[in-house]
Amino acid sequence: MLKRHLAPIGLGLLLACNGLVCAANLDVTAAYRMRAISYSNLELNLDNRNNHQYLSNDARLGMAVRKIFLETKRGEETTMDVSLLLRALGTAGSTTTLAIPLNGAANFYPSVDMTPFLENAYLRVHNLFGVPATTTLGRQSFKLGSGLLLDDDGAGLTGVAIDADLPFWGAKAEAFLFGDRNSRYAPANSLDLFGAAFDLPTEGTWQLSQLFERDRAIQPVYGCNRDDVNPDINNGPRSCSISKAVRSFSSLHYQISYGPIVFDGEAAMERGSATPTGARPARNHITYTGDAQVVKAKWKQHVPGLSADSYLRLSVARASGDNQATSTRDEAFFPSHGHRFDGLERTGFGDFFAATPYDAFGGNYSTNTASGLRQGASGIIVVGGGLTPPAFKGVILDVDFFLFQADRIQSGPRTLGTEWDVRLRYPILDHFSLSTSVAVFTAGTASNPARGTSKKWSFEASGRF
């Protein structure tokens, strides 16, 4: 199917090739990843396990013509890149339709039935009008900071992004404007994303980011109807609906690679307001006041007598949860388009729980929480550590452990669970890789008082050119 769609595109590029275009660079990329996945007890409930098994396919094929000369202005050459990238996602096997909660990833992408969609289709112009800046127009990949606030996750975002080198301190600036949708509620063109970022290199790199979301999707806010008076029966207890929301996210991101240590940290805060569609809450106004922090560190250690190095990892993350005693204020940190998906699977802390600081595979897949956690729990605290010993005959072993707790809970203990992840990888250069992994999640009493374990098994083969 990919060949059928790409053949006329490639023919068109060849027919359009004149003297200037043929002097440019033509890049062709291709990638494919197959995963065999088995989930057991996704519901975190031994009486209702919600098991799923399937094969997932993830294929990409792209073409780009780069450095097309346009003109010379102010001594600067103006050049253009034209890029197209098709992506196809789909499943096969005993679970051919991605049911709850796996449908969260399916709702995020334009197509999940192996019909190709445009992940990238853009024009990128360098030094337009002689100004030393790069302007990208169209559907493009985009990530802000570490992805805590904004990441297209391989779906692409449509709009414009401009980045430029500033004439002082080696600094860079970026501005962007995208139109998209809130994948949790799925109305088309309901979400505007715009903002800017400023990068300052020192020993590491500091990035100050500002993101604004204008969300016009009718959606629930949880906890705003504290007394559950005239309950919103469509969205669960203590909830009310809003017709629009304006959210502001400010973050400071720092990265450094210093000798054997790699550090990546980001802190963010959320502000904004929303307009309810009904009489609840009584003051008819909701404000957002959340915050989040994520820190990741990796240490490389040489082992005497071995040619390969070992690695130690540490991660700590937290996002504020909602205080249900404040009906007109939502303290839960929750960006609409943060990094949460990798193809048809969630990605985050833990292969099974797949937690971000604000949501996870928490066992509650009804519509009465945004986070997936049980009613009354929100905000997630993660502490994780991992080890990669030296490779043995090219085979790499990764072992990780995670502890998850709720930032806020209505009553009782806060532990959501613990998880062990074990993975074996066999990479060949940067082109081909085989891996297999198992993740064992033990539910905490905040997820299910009966506890119990859940598992995820996977086998992956991937290659790219």
Side-chain angles (χ1 to χ4, degrees):
M1 185 174 288
L2 277 172
K3 289 183 179 179
R4 187 174 73 239
H5 283 264
L6 281 174
I9 297 174
L11 181 61
L13 286 174
L14 291 174
L15 292 176
C17 184
N18 56 37
L20 291 177
V21 175
C22 288
N25 298 324
L26 175 62
D27 295 339
V28 178
T29 60
Y32 176 73
R33 181 179 66 187
M34 186 200 74
R35 286 179 174 175
I37 305 292
S38 175
Y39 285 102
S40 65
N41 194 21
L42 263 173
E43 201 74 30
L44 308 186
N45 182 353
L46 296 178
D47 296 324
N48 182 23
R49 292 177 178 269
N50 193 22
N51 298 339
H52 293 277
Q53 302 83 32
Y54 60 93
L55 295 173
S56 73
N57 298 280
D58 186 348
R60 283 183 169 103
L61 186 57
M63 288 186 289
V65 182
R66 306 188 189 280
K67 296 183 179 179
I68 303 171
F69 176 78
L70 299 179
E71 63 179 357
T72 299
K73 286 279 190 179
R74 302 177 183 177
E76 296 282 351
E77 284 191 353
T78 301
T79 62
M80 179 179 68
D81 306 334
V82 181
S83 180
L84 295 174
L85 176 62
L86 290 176
R87 189 176 190 185
L89 298 169
T91 60
S94 60
T95 306
T96 55
T97 301
L98 291 174
I100 294 173
L102 304 174
N103 64 335
N107 291 338
F108 183 80
Y109 295 96
S111 172
V112 292
D113 60 357
M114 286 306 289
T115 299
F117 62 87
L118 281 170
E119 180 180 344
N120 287 173
Y122 63 78
L123 302 174
R124 177 169 290 160
V125 184
H126 306 271
N127 304 323
L128 184 62
F129 306 124
V131 177
T134 299
T135 303
T136 306
L137 304 103
R139 193 160 186 84
Q140 57 196 276
S141 301
F142 189 87
K143 181 179 180 179
L144 185 63
S146 67
L148 177 66
L149 305 184
L150 178 60
D151 195 328
D152 76 293
D153 280 339
L157 291 168
T158 301
V160 57
I162 302 172
D163 60 87
D165 295 330
L166 299 180
F168 52 86
W169 305 332
K172 297 181 179 181
E174 181 178 45
F176 57 89
L177 170 63
F178 300 111
D180 205 75
R181 62 188 179 94
N182 190 324
S183 63
R184 287 180 293 155
Y185 310 108
N189 304 315
S190 63
L191 183 64
D192 295 330
L193 303 161
F194 55 96
F198 173 76
D199 290 11
L200 179 63
T202 55
E203 284 190 67
T205 300
W206 295 90
Q207 183 180 68
L208 180 63
S209 302
Q210 181 64 50
L211 168 67
F212 295 96
E213 295 183 358
R214 187 174 66 175
D215 194 345
R216 298 182 298 278
I218 296 176
Q219 58 191 270
V221 174
Y222 302 99
C224 62
N225 190 355
R226 185 175 60 185
D227 300 321
D228 212 16
V229 177
N230 297 322
D232 185 342
I233 60 175
N234 294 321
N235 293 311
R238 293 185 291 280
S239 67
C240 58
S241 294
I242 61 172
S243 58
K244 61 180 178 180
V246 176
R247 307 180 188 94
S248 167
F249 296 88
S250 304
S251 81
L252 183 63
H253 180 218
Y254 180 67
Q255 288 180 299
I256 187 172
S257 179
Y258 187 78
I261 298 175
V262 177
F263 176 88
D264 189 318
E266 185 168 12
M269 66 178 184
E270 176 186 4
R271 297 294 183 267
S273 62
T275 303
T277 59
R280 297 287 171 178
R283 291 164 62 183
N284 203 37
H285 193 70
I286 296 170
T287 58
Y288 296 99
T289 58
D291 60 88
Q293 305 82 34
V294 178
V295 172
K296 297 179 181 179
K298 183 170 67 174
W299 177 30
K300 181 173 68 174
Q301 177 64 54
H302 177 69
V303 179
L306 296 177
S307 58
D309 295 322
S310 62
Y311 296 86
L312 294 174
R313 294 177 293 279
L314 176 67
S315 54
V316 180
R318 171 200 166 269
S320 58
D322 182 41
N323 182 357
Q324 296 196 5
T326 57
S327 60
T328 60
R329 190 165 66 246
D330 185 357
E331 296 90 350
F333 180 89
F334 212 120
S336 300
H337 229 295
H339 177 48
R340 295 158 62 207
F341 301 110
D342 179 15
L344 295 179
E345 294 177 76
R346 280 186 56 93
T347 183
F349 296 98
D351 279 353
F352 176 90
F353 204 53
T356 68
Y358 37 86
D359 67 346
F361 273 165
N364 181 12
Y365 308 121
S366 61
T367 58
N368 58 10
T369 67
S371 63
L373 308 182
R374 296 183 69 193
Q375 181 69 41
S378 65
I380 298 176
I381 301 172
V382 182
V383 178
L387 168 67
T388 299
F392 178 72
K393 294 186 177 181
V395 178
I396 301 171
L397 170 67
D398 301 317
V399 180
D400 292 274
F401 174 79
F402 299 94
L403 168 66
F404 306 97
Q405 289 192 325
D407 182 66
R408 288 187 186 272
I409 197 162
Q410 194 168 358
S411 62
R414 299 167 57 189
T415 300
L416 299 169
T418 59
E419 179 172 329
W420 282 98
D421 295 344
V422 179
R423 180 183 300 271
L424 288 172
R425 297 181 285 127
Y426 184 69
I428 301 177
L429 298 177
D430 195 30
H431 298 296
F432 179 73
S433 177
L434 294 172
S435 68
T436 184
S437 65
V438 60
V440 180
F441 177 82
T442 302
T445 50
S447 296
N448 189 338
R451 306 290 299 278
T453 61
S454 306
K455 295 179 181 178
K456 175 186 174 182
W457 300 85
S458 69
F459 171 80
E460 176 182 314
S462 63
R464 64 179 181 176
F465 170 76

